[in-house]
Amino acid sequence: MSTLQRTPFYQSHIDAGGKLVDFSGWELPIHYGSQIDEHEAVRTDAGMFDVSHMVITDVAGKESKAWLQKLLANDVAKLKTVGKALYSAMLNEEGGIIDDLIVYLMNEAETKYRIVSNAATRDKDLAQFNKVAAEFDVELTERPELAMLAVQGPQAVAKLKQAKPEWTETLDTIKPFVGADLTDIEGDNWFVARTGYTGEDGVEVILPGEQAQAFYSLLLENGIKPAGLGARDTLRMEAGMNLYGHDMDETTSPYECNMGWTLALKDERDFIGREALVNKRKQSKEDGTAMKQVGLLLETRGVLREGMTVTINQGTDNEQTGTITSGTFSPSLKQSIAIARVPATLSDEDSVQVDLRGKGKFVDLRVLKLPFVRNGQKQFD
């Protein structure tokens, strides 16, 4: 029997009353008593999530930029200033998504970068990193000794400034999707970035593991509420953000999961999966098999669940189907929501339904453009 891994915040979770579960081989809190309260704290005030299970990989070498331009579907040449972040898919040769990740530019010479990728895909990510790196002068260093804490919500930055007044100038300076080295303030291996997975303002802090519990306690003292995996999932769903292994995987094209905007295709850069991606996109449009991602809202009672079949124009000659890739009850909307993959031809005139209980009783769904909620506000009428 394999032993679950623990993050540097493990004791902090125990002390805060966290209910710990197995998440991709890590012992992490699902909640601290009330998932709904934790969700609401992030939407209206400030909450914090342990994301130390994420994989941090530092990249160095004179061909670091070229390696990343080969590896990723988005182009790190877009990173013009130190600390700037880029969201990208990493594709396989068939144009499917191995993982989605964030890469930061760490020096002006463009010889140092930092990648933050998903825990559940660690082994295959690192295998792909190293496979492609064999052709480049680049050195990859995984950083398991570092901890990572997401501090999210409309009051997150204000409360972080209260806890760490010496960070005020830095926090006032960094814009969304930009990070800053805190070495001069905190010592080695402290980094803060205006990123997150909730649809709210906030930051993600990378820090030495041995200083994690003290930092957690300080944030608790300044009114930042612990939040678990349950709230993280409902928050990201309301924000229309994908979860790897659910809304996308190695069989999914970025075009099928609302990630087409991350593809840098304007020049001739030869990244892995490009040719297959472009060819499949063209073919699917021609043969009518193209899919797209939408949001679904259930305006009656019930809960939409992953794996449910979405039926379009049920009972007609034009009947088609799609699939719910993530579904939940939305604490902010007090209704059930879902992220779904449906035929790209779906229009406003089409009826969309789901058989909630598998008994042939179809319920109407409302199709919405994602996100459902952003910065605490409902994004539809």
Side-chain angles (χ1 to χ4, degrees), residues 182-238:
L182 294 170
T183 301
D184 290 346
I185 301 171
E186 295 290 344
D188 290 344
N189 295 316
W190 282 79
F191 182 82
V192 61
R194 205 114 184 196
T195 49
Y197 192 50
T198 63
E200 296 294 334
D201 191 14
V203 298
E204 292 175 310
V205 181
I206 293 172
L207 67 157
E210 64 270 16
Q211 298 180 54
Q213 290 185 45
F215 184 58
Y216 198 93
S217 297
L218 179 65
L219 299 194
L220 273 179
E221 291 165 11
N222 284 273
I224 298 175
K225 186 179 180 70
L229 294 165
R232 189 167 183 252
D233 195 51
T234 52
L235 288 159
R236 71 93 189 167
M237 276 198 58
E238 289 183 353

Side-chain angles (χ1 to χ4, degrees), residues 17-90:
K19 176 177 171 52
L20 303 182
V21 298
D22 178 356
F23 182 79
S24 299
W26 290 84
E27 203 165 359
L28 289 166
I30 188 75
H31 61 70
Y32 297 82
S34 171
Q35 178 179 326
I36 301 291
D37 287 352
E38 293 159 28
H39 178 108
E40 291 298 328
V42 175
R43 281 280 177 255
T44 62
D45 188 16
M48 56 181 169
F49 304 85
D50 179 4
V51 288
S52 305
H53 59 297
M54 302 287 279
V55 181
I56 300 170
T57 306
D58 283 343
V59 183
K62 65 181 182 181
E63 292 187 319
S64 296
K65 181 179 179 181
W67 172 71
L68 286 163
Q69 288 184 299
K70 179 72 173 181
L71 184 77
L72 303 180
N74 209 340
D75 190 355
V76 294
K78 295 177 181 178
L79 301 178
K80 303 297 187 185
T81 56
V82 175
K84 190 80 177 72
L86 184 79
Y87 176 65
S88 181
M90 177 171 63

Side-chain angles (χ1 to χ4, degrees), residues 298-361:
L298 179 63
E299 298 184 299
T300 57
R301 293 180 65 181
V303 180
L304 301 173
R305 300 290 187 193
E306 178 180 344
M308 285 182 173
T309 297
V310 179
T311 304
I312 298 142
N313 302 319
Q314 194 261 330
T316 72
D317 292 338
N318 191 32
E319 182 173 308
Q320 294 177 287
T321 60
T323 305
I324 289 177
T325 55
S326 288
T328 193
F329 179 79
S330 162
S332 299
L333 302 175
K334 307 295 189 286
Q335 291 173 293
S336 186
I337 59 173
I339 296 172
R341 192 172 303 126
V342 299
T345 52
L346 178 71
S347 70
D348 293 342
E349 287 72 47
D350 294 318
S351 68
V352 179
Q353 297 180 309
V354 68
D355 181 1
L356 267 185
R357 293 174 181 84
K359 296 181 179 179
K361 298 183 92 174

Side-chain angles (χ1 to χ4, degrees), residues 152-168:
Q152 303 280 295
Q155 297 302 313
V157 173
K159 290 193 170 183
L160 190 52
K161 287 180 187 176
Q162 184 179 300
K164 287 283 190 182
E166 61 272 31
W167 292 16
T168 298

Side-chain angles (χ1 to χ4, degrees), residues 255-291:
Y255 290 113
E256 297 173 329
C257 60
N258 202 26
M259 285 180 64
W261 64 275
T262 69
L263 301 171
L265 297 166
K266 289 183 179 179
D267 59 26
E268 297 303 311
R269 180 176 57 95
D270 178 28
F271 61 83
I272 290 171
R274 176 173 181 149
E275 185 177 357
L277 180 75
V278 172
N279 290 341
K280 283 184 179 178
R281 172 72 164 173
K282 182 181 178 183
Q283 183 64 42
S284 67
K285 283 185 172 182
E286 290 174 355
D287 62 21
T289 60
M291 303 292 279

